[in-house]
Amino acid sequence: MLSEKAVKEIEEITTRYPVKRSAVMPALFVVQKEYGYVTEEGMREVAKILGLRPILVFEVATFYTMYNKKPVGKYHIQVCRNISCSLLGAEHVVGIIERKLGIKVKETTSDKRFTLSEVECLGSCGTAPMMQINDKYYESLTEPMIDDILKSLK
Amino acid sequence: MATVKINGKEITIDDGTLILDAAKTAGFDIPTMCFHARLSKLASCRVCLVEIVGQKKLQPSCVTPVMHGMEVLTESPVVKSARSSMIELLLANHPLDCPVCDKGGECELQDITFKFGPRQSPFGDNKRRFNEEDYILSPVIVQNANRCIQCKRCVRICAETVGVGVLGSIERGAKTGETSFVREYLDCDHCGNCIEVCPVGSLMSRSYRYKSRPWDLKGVDTVCVYCGTGCQLTVQARKDEVVRVISKPEEGINNETLCARGRYGYSFINSIDRLLVPMVRMGNTLEPTTWEDAVRAVRNGLSEAINKGKKIGGIASSRLSNEELYLFQKLMRGVLKTNNIDSGSRWDTAAVKTYAEIMELSKGGLSIYDALNTDTLLILGFGISDENPVTDYIIRRISGNKKMNIIMASPRGMKLDNSAVLSIRHNPGTEGVIIGGILKLIYDKNINSLKNLGGKDYLKDLSKEKVSDITKTAWQDIEAASGYIMASNTITVAVGSDVLRVPSRIEFLRMLIEALRILGKDVKLFPLFDRSNQRGALEMGVHPDILPGYNFIDGDGLGADGIIDAASRGEVGALYLAGEDILSDFPDGVFAREALRQTKFLVVQDILPTETTEFADVILPGSSHAEKDGTFTNGERRIQLVRKAIEPLGGKADWETICLVAKALGIKNMEYSSPSEIWDELAGLAPMFAGVNHKKLEPDGIQWPCPDIDHPGTAIMYTEKFNRPNGKALFNFREHIASAEVPDDKYPLILSTGRRRQHYNNGSMTRRSNAIFNQWPEESLELNPFDARRFNIKDSEKVLASSRRGEMEVKVHVTDRVQPGITFLAFHNRDALTNLLTNDALDPVCKIPEYKSCAIKIEKLNGHK
């Protein structure tokens, strides 16, 4: 069950749109925040609150890549590998993180702290290479920076 | 109008016509894949691309309208190559497992590839795979997702037409596939329309799985037997076994859609329970015998009743064909000299007259599409989504394409509520008062224009409080309904037979119709029938006071209730039931049993064993609709052909049996070579059928009146005014009378009854069709969550339900489809004989048994036994 706070938040979101259905995407992010990923139960609850058929929520959730359909670690590292970041060494960034955490892309560390993903453009080309960890951007990355960032995340 | 050139051929056609349709008119077929005429347009497969001279890019012809002066090429080298490439792309991920695919031989992708596709493909990549094994999506659907070509036809028909919207398109790009929420087991109508529209073998029917190849099937186009909508369908048999029912896109009012009953309710035809041999009672048992002996026994029984001066009665099912119903009434009236004849619809003379007058039945009516060409549609007294599912589909589909306010008034919620602007929930049996409330509001606002309204004095006492009190409906709903009606120019009133099964005064409806017409509105009337040939039964004279062709007489005959009543007093010497199971149909089952025991001689002509056949003295095997030719008349008075798919399993069609009985009674003029000959005889008796014959009924039937052989039939009739000299209706008005039995402290709940979408009448046919039986195997009592808490009862718990007449154990289904204080039970299951609880109090005016409403109580089982 979604917490009361999450339900309230979704209900608040619906007031921003002329039709409730429009709130499906932000509502799914609320679910993702609540459970760490978009759960089956969460999708059903969103459908119920928005008065939609569950399949419609499922369609949206599976269409967009930024909804996690599987559990992720406490810190979800998403490295941009689009053109600007790639030119400035996104592959290298991924390699460093893989080596330091001992996991491959799409994997989660055994202590469930980190999940590593490659993503498409995050709109921060001017500060490439970059990555996003949970809701925060880390830009103009270098190896020592990555080292510090990972150490700071307990 | 636009003049366009298609492949050099110039045609002039309406503006806005799609290139696809224009090309067809010009004689060029453009292949399509995702396109479906009655669904929203998607244009995703790009198979229908055409070249428009002057435009660089090819355009999809299924969404591009013609423009004046346009020059279109559908067969240019560019188009041909693009088309072939698109098919190649569809095949890139489509498995080539045609030899084991059920769709093989009738697959649109197969056909299109054969005709236009590339002969080879350079794609060497692995094909996308969703699953290694097919998975079961519902009691009727099995899915092979790998074969899906993402045309989304299933998704569209499910949401737009069927209205359940349980299928969707998940993932994106090359991984896209159509399926259910998290690929779970579907909770839907199980109508199989998604299977019908699937162009490939992705969605498949479980009951037809690995049964046959299409070219091994022998099919006939016929009419569905399950309700008054009258869908056209094709029954397909392999050797003498019916294995599948499909529907064709361009035939019938249903246009390819069918409901669960129509599509899957065919297994009863070849059921091992079928009555195949005539049987005659020897002491306490029924013994198999020959047709000759059985018919001789019938003759002896009927003759004895005549000789002793006892009454003879006949009740025929409204699922028999027009020809059989006509013969049955001829047998009763002409041979046995009695007007004691009725169909099992439980309508009495007065009821039929009221309904026929208000709905202007004897004058014809509208086709459903004309009826839906309206601003406001008011549906009253009918569980339309459950009783006429395909009419529900048609209404939803039409209302999705145009602005139409649907107002539903019913005691119980249903699927069509989702498409309605307003759903009025009211107590069972108070439909008349709801209309009274709406009328009162309209009258008060237009007193001057309506000063001549007949019966207006009856509105005086009808206060807002009184209406709310009787109907238990919020006054705002009634205000909203009258608002929608007054804001419309055209209003269609669709009324089902429920309004006549309860003691409700529907004269208000007649007043409302007249008032709206005085106010200059166009009022269309559309009757809704729950049985396949209910209208036909009336038209064929299977009614004590109606002769074939709606010739009303003031006869001395008894209706079904009168016959049962007389039987209980021992006055009936012989009773002939053709396809009727009165023991599960009659409102008071206990009483009906006693009546049959008192009947000296009982003939039952039926296809399956029922409660009633156990009481029979002679059983004559009947024939199902797949075993004979004939006609049915649907709710919009369209006469449609029923055709024989297999030979009668019992050896004789029902019409042959009736003729045999007549012959045994010494009658010479009842021998026919075919139902067509019977039709010609009856058409000669009724001017409205005079121009109709079997041959002329192909392919879509004819709407009577059709007075001569060159007449095409009539689609719209009498929409302007009542067919009376002064254009006004006659009134025969009475106060609202409460149900004979109202809830009290001892029996606090109202029990209302009706049908479920999965079953039909006593269920003898649908319960033998596994595909649908499994969808609703056990009857359960619907109870509002509020009452469930009040009586401390959980969902699926078994309880003891009892009325003043009987009791039964039944499972509870907690749902908000019913209102607090009201429970619902269908009457399809032999294990849950609802009529042991219901009331046979007859409406004091119409004499309709009170089947819709009685008082019951429920108790927890552990506390009781």
Side-chain angles (χ1 to χ4, degrees):
Chain A
M1 282 289 285
L2 282 171
S3 67
E4 215 170 287
K5 188 170 152 266
V7 173
K8 276 232 171 72
E9 197 179 338
I10 295 174
E11 276 165 357
E12 191 276 316
I13 292 168
T14 60
T15 61
R16 296 181 212 161
Y17 302 94
V19 286
K20 273 182 161 188
R21 180 181 173 147
S22 308
V24 65
M25 292 187 64
L28 280 171
F29 276 117
V30 174
V31 172
Q32 179 152 308
K33 208 160 67 188
E34 181 93 352
Y35 296 102
Y37 68 108
V38 176
T39 59
E40 189 187 318
E41 194 195 354
M43 287 188 281
R44 278 186 211 280
E45 281 182 88
V46 168
K48 207 171 165 192
I49 297 168
L50 302 185
L52 297 175
R53 295 176 174 122
I55 184 73
L56 290 170
V57 181
F58 189 53
E59 283 180 327
V60 172
T62 53
F63 184 86
Y64 292 100
T65 55
M66 288 167 90
Y67 295 117
N68 306 323
K69 265 72 76 181
K70 284 184 191 145
V72 289
K74 186 178 173 193
Y75 300 104
H76 186 195
I77 306 170
Q78 303 176 73
V79 184
C80 175
R81 33 154 271 185
N82 217 286
I83 189 151
S84 309
C85 291
S86 290
L87 287 172
L88 289 163
E91 240 172 88
H92 185 56
V93 172
V94 171
I96 294 167
I97 299 172
E98 280 184 342
R99 214 165 48 240
K100 291 205 184 293
L101 297 179
I103 53 171
K104 295 260 176 252
V105 174
K106 289 187 188 169
E107 287 179 356
T108 303
T109 53
S110 54
D111 60 0
K112 306 261 185 269
R113 269 208 310 151
F114 294 100
T115 298
L116 177 61
S117 307
E118 286 179 343
V119 295
E120 299 304 329
C121 185
L122 289 171
S124 192
C125 309
T127 54
M130 64 80 69
M131 65 181 175
Q132 180 184 348
I133 302 182
N134 293 351
D135 286 341
K136 206 169 165 212
Y137 274 18
Y138 297 88
E139 299 161 307
S140 307
L141 297 169
T142 59
E143 187 160 0
M145 268 175 80
I146 296 170
D147 220 14
D148 290 347
I149 293 164
L150 292 182
K151 271 182 194 151
S152 70
L153 299 173
K154 292 289 170 215
Chain B
M1 299 299 273
T3 303
V4 290
K5 225 184 219 178
I6 296 172
N7 296 343
K9 190 173 172 185
E10 198 167 280
I11 57 162
T12 303
I13 202 156
D14 284 343
D15 286 324
T17 309
L18 298 172
I19 294 178
L20 183 69
D21 297 327
K24 197 172 231 167
T25 312
F28 302 103
D29 266 348
I30 301 173
T32 56
M33 210 64 211
C34 69
F35 173 81
H36 192 281
R38 274 166 295 277
L39 298 176
S40 59
K41 307 288 180 276
L42 195 67
S44 70
C45 72
R46 319 305 276 187
V47 168
C48 69
L49 290 175
V50 291
E51 187 178 349
I52 299 170
V53 176
Q55 290 190 19
K56 278 185 187 160
K57 285 166 77 179
L58 302 180
Q59 297 296 332
S61 62
C62 70
V63 287
T64 315
V66 294
M67 281 167 75
H68 187 69
M70 196 182 248
E71 203 182 332
V72 180
L73 299 174
T74 72
E75 300 299 326
S76 67
V78 184
V79 172
K80 279 184 174 167
S81 137
R83 188 185 283 161
S84 166
S85 302
M86 290 306 148
I87 296 168
E88 191 180 341
L89 286 171
L90 289 177
L91 289 169
N93 272 321
H94 187 87
L96 298 180
D97 58 355
C98 306
V100 293
C101 176
D102 263 344
K103 200 75 177 183
E106 53 183 2
C107 172
E108 291 178 37
L109 185 58
Q110 216 176 29
D111 293 349
I112 212 172
T113 308
F114 187 74
K115 220 168 158 187
F116 305 102
R119 287 289 180 257
Q120 55 192 15
S121 169
F123 288 127
D125 290 350
N126 284 339
K127 297 196 183 216
R128 166 211 65 186
R129 290 189 77 84
F130 284 113
N131 54 301
E132 294 305 313
E133 276 181 32
D134 299 354
Y135 52 92
I136 288 166
L137 216 51
S138 98
V140 296
I141 308 169
V142 53
Q143 189 181 16
N144 181 319
N146 303 332
R147 294 185 192 141
C148 177
I149 57 156
Q150 292 82 49
C151 67
K152 288 181 88 168
R153 282 191 196 176
C154 57
V155 177
R156 285 178 283 162
I157 200 159
C158 191
E160 294 166 14
T161 302
V162 180
V164 290
V166 291
L167 294 173
S169 193
I170 62 157
E171 295 286 349
R172 71 198 306 192
K175 283 198 215 152
T176 314
E178 269 84 283
T179 187
S180 61
F181 181 73
V182 299
R183 295 196 190 278
E184 71 183 357
Y185 204 62
L186 289 174
D187 176 20
C188 68
D189 270 17
H190 308 304
C191 59
N193 284 315
C194 49
I195 302 173
E196 190 73 55
V197 295
C198 182
V200 294
S202 178
L203 297 171
M204 293 165 289
S205 162
R206 280 180 75 190
S207 53
Y208 173 67
R209 195 131 211 247
Y210 301 145
K211 279 266 170 72
S212 179
R213 282 293 184 195
W215 55 82
D216 284 335
L217 294 173
K218 208 177 105 230
V220 293
D221 296 342
T222 184
V223 184
C224 180
V225 74
Y226 281 115
C227 81
T229 302
C231 296
Q232 293 227 354
L233 43 78
T234 305
V235 174
Q236 295 182 320
R238 184 187 160 109
K239 292 163 189 167
D240 264 341
E241 192 192 343
V242 175
V243 292
R244 184 168 74 160
V245 168
I246 59 165
S247 53
K248 292 184 180 166
E250 304 310 330
E251 280 175 21
I253 62 163
N254 51 312
N255 297 122
E256 202 172 9
T257 54
L258 287 177
C259 69
R261 290 194 301 245
R263 196 180 298 281
Y264 298 109
Y266 59 81
S267 318
F268 74 90
I269 296 168
N270 292 97
S271 160
I272 50 163
D273 295 339
R274 275 290 294 270
L275 297 168
L276 299 177
V277 192
M279 298 215 259
V280 174
R281 182 165 297 280
M282 302 278 180
N284 283 331
T285 55
L286 283 159
E287 300 293 339
T289 182
T290 60
W291 276 98
E292 289 71 32
D293 286 351
V295 171
R296 199 174 305 126
V298 173
R299 182 196 66 193
N300 293 344
L302 293 172
S303 308
E304 195 187 328
I306 296 172
N307 295 338
K308 288 195 175 160
K310 291 273 194 181
K311 286 195 172 79
I312 294 178
I315 305 177
S317 166
S318 30
R319 63 164 178 75
L320 296 180
S321 70
N322 283 326
E323 291 74 7
E324 289 158 354
L325 291 164
Y326 167 77
L327 284 187
F328 188 75
Q329 74 85 35
K330 189 175 176 186
L331 175 75
M332 298 312 289
R333 288 207 168 97
V335 181
L336 302 170
K337 309 288 179 208
T338 176
N339 277 322
N340 300 335
I341 174 169
D342 207 348
S343 59
S345 56
R346 301 185 302 272
W347 289 12
D348 194 84
T349 323
V352 171
K353 277 187 178 159
T354 314
Y355 191 75
E357 268 183 28
I358 293 182
M359 299 310 289
E360 298 164 9
L361 275 193
S362 59
K363 301 291 177 285
L366 294 160
S367 89
I368 181 159
Y369 293 103
D370 293 319
L372 293 180
N373 185 12
T374 185
D375 303 325
T376 293
L377 170 67
L378 171 66
I379 300 175
L380 183 73
F382 206 60
I384 191 163
S385 304
D386 295 282
E387 309 210 25
N388 287 1
V390 175
T391 305
D392 163 283
Y393 301 160
I394 295 170
I395 294 174
R396 182 172 299 99
R397 175 161 66 76
I398 302 278
S399 72
N401 295 337
K402 68 185 281 268
K403 194 167 160 34
M404 171 165 77
N405 299 317
I406 300 175
I407 305 173
M408 310 280 296
S410 69
R412 185 163 163 254
M414 64 188 101
K415 208 177 60 188
L416 198 58
D417 287 331
N418 291 343
S419 307
V421 290
L422 177 67
S423 295
I424 299 175
R425 291 285 161 273
H426 57 78
N427 258 9
T430 60
E431 286 87 352
V433 186
I434 293 277
I435 293 296
I438 295 173
L439 174 63
K440 167 95 174 165
L441 280 166
I442 292 172
Y443 177 76
D444 285 352
K445 283 189 189 134
N446 301 279
I447 282 191
N448 286 334
S449 325
L450 296 175
K451 57 180 184 285
N452 293 328
L453 179 69
K456 64 180 181 192
D457 294 345
Y458 298 105
L459 290 172
K460 275 190 194 133
D461 307 341
L462 201 68
S463 67
K464 175 175 157 181
E465 291 73 26
K466 194 170 167 189
V467 171
S468 295
D469 185 52
I470 295 174
T471 61
K472 299 280 180 283
T473 299
W475 184 250
Q476 301 92 282
D477 284 354
I478 293 176
E479 275 178 341
S482 82
Y484 284 118
I485 290 172
M486 284 313 288
S488 309
N489 292 322
T490 314
I491 298 123
T492 298
V493 185
V495 186
S497 42
D498 284 4
V499 292
L500 293 167
R501 296 241 167 87
V502 283
S504 171
R505 303 283 64 82
I506 64 162
E507 281 81 359
F508 281 128
L509 178 61
R510 186 167 11 197
M511 284 173 72
L512 177 69
I513 294 163
E514 194 191 336
L516 292 173
R517 283 178 178 163
I518 292 172
L519 294 172
K521 303 203 180 284
D522 184 4
V523 183
K524 300 175 176 182
L525 300 172
F526 192 71
L528 296 163
F529 288 102
D530 46 7
R531 300 186 185 204
S532 48
N533 205 18
Q534 200 163 3
R535 190 158 187 160
L538 298 177
E539 284 161 11
M540 293 303 126
V542 180
H543 185 279
D545 286 355
I546 305 178
L547 299 181
Y550 282 119
N551 287 317
F552 287 86
I553 51 165
D554 273 331
D556 53 350
L558 298 170
D561 303 311
I563 295 170
I564 307 283
D565 203 39
S568 73
R569 294 192 301 269
E571 292 169 11
V572 173
L575 180 56
Y576 193 153
L577 302 176
E580 261 313 306
D581 176 17
I582 56 168
L583 285 192
S584 35
D585 257 9
F586 197 73
D588 187 339
V590 182
F591 181 76
R593 271 175 184 68
E594 192 47 38
L596 287 195
R597 267 188 213 107
Q598 299 295 334
T599 304
K600 186 81 184 42
F601 181 71
L602 176 65
V603 188
V604 183
Q605 180 173 330
D606 211 335
I607 54 174
L608 289 159
T610 62
E611 290 286 292
T612 309
T613 52
E614 288 169 21
F615 286 80
D617 293 293
V618 178
I619 295 178
L620 301 170
S623 53
S624 74
H625 66 299
E627 295 155 45
K628 60 197 175 194
D629 291 325
T631 55
F632 283 167
T633 307
N634 78 350
E636 40 158 39
R637 89 207 125 86
R638 187 186 298 274
I639 307 159
Q640 307 189 97
L641 277 182
V642 175
R643 291 190 188 83
K644 184 158 80 176
I646 54 175
E647 289 302 315
L649 297 175
K652 302 209 184 299
D654 287 301
W655 62 271
E656 291 173 298
T657 309
I658 298 169
C659 291
L660 272 183
V661 171
K663 195 177 173 191
L665 286 160
I667 302 304
K668 297 268 183 308
N669 69 344
M670 271 180 74
E671 283 183 64
Y672 305 89
S673 60
S674 72
S676 168
E677 202 181 324
I678 306 171
W679 177 272
D680 292 342
E681 177 181 316
L682 78 91
L685 296 173
M688 60 204 195
F689 303 135
V692 182
N693 60 39
H694 274 199
K695 201 156 182 259
K696 206 173 152 185
L697 290 173
E698 296 186 44
D700 275 356
I702 286 178
Q703 286 177 283
W704 64 259
C706 179
D708 60 68
I709 199 74
D710 297 321
H711 195 283
T714 313
I716 309 177
M717 299 192 62
Y718 293 101
T719 53
E720 311 83 31
K721 57 184 181 189
F722 284 86
N723 189 33
R724 287 185 188 285
N726 62 356
K728 287 184 186 169
L730 271 186
F731 282 90
N732 174 22
F733 205 91
R734 280 170 191 85
E735 262 302 281
H736 173 78
I737 303 165
S739 291
E741 195 180 43
V742 291
D744 51 28
D745 290 345
K746 195 142 187 258
Y747 295 94
L749 293 165
I750 297 176
L751 170 69
S752 76
T753 64
R755 292 186 171 84
R756 297 207 184 273
R757 132 192 118 232
Q758 295 89 346
H759 286 294
Y760 181 71
N761 283 4
N762 67 359
S764 63
M765 294 170 0
T766 44
R767 274 185 289 112
R768 286 181 178 84
S769 296
N770 273 336
I772 41 181
F773 175 64
N774 292 338
Q775 296 173 20
W776 199 266
E778 189 182 3
E779 185 47 40
S780 54
L781 181 80
E782 288 182 7
L783 188 69
N784 187 276
F786 170 80
D787 293 318
R789 278 195 299 278
R790 185 152 69 113
F791 297 105
N792 187 25
I793 285 162
K794 290 191 188 63
D795 195 24
S796 302
E797 183 175 335
K798 265 213 161 184
V799 296
L800 183 80
S802 51
S803 74
R804 291 189 169 84
R805 288 153 299 280
E807 58 176 42
M808 63 192 278
E809 282 181 24
V810 65
K811 204 169 85 175
V812 166
H813 174 48
V814 177
T815 170
D816 51 15
R817 273 193 82 174
V818 288
Q819 299 293 100
I822 302 174
T823 62
F824 175 89
L825 204 53
F827 44 71
H828 310 298
N829 263 28
R830 208 165 164 174
D831 312 327
L833 283 172
T834 309
N835 65 354
L836 295 179
L837 297 177
T838 46
N839 192 351
D840 81 327
L842 293 180
D843 171 0
V845 184
C846 298
K847 295 190 196 148
I848 312 276
E850 196 169 329
Y851 213 153
K852 281 283 163 183
S853 169
C854 77
I856 61 159
K857 65 176 174 186
I858 52 176
E859 293 159 287
K860 286 181 98 71
L861 268 187
N862 48 15
H864 185 81
K865 280 183 181 167

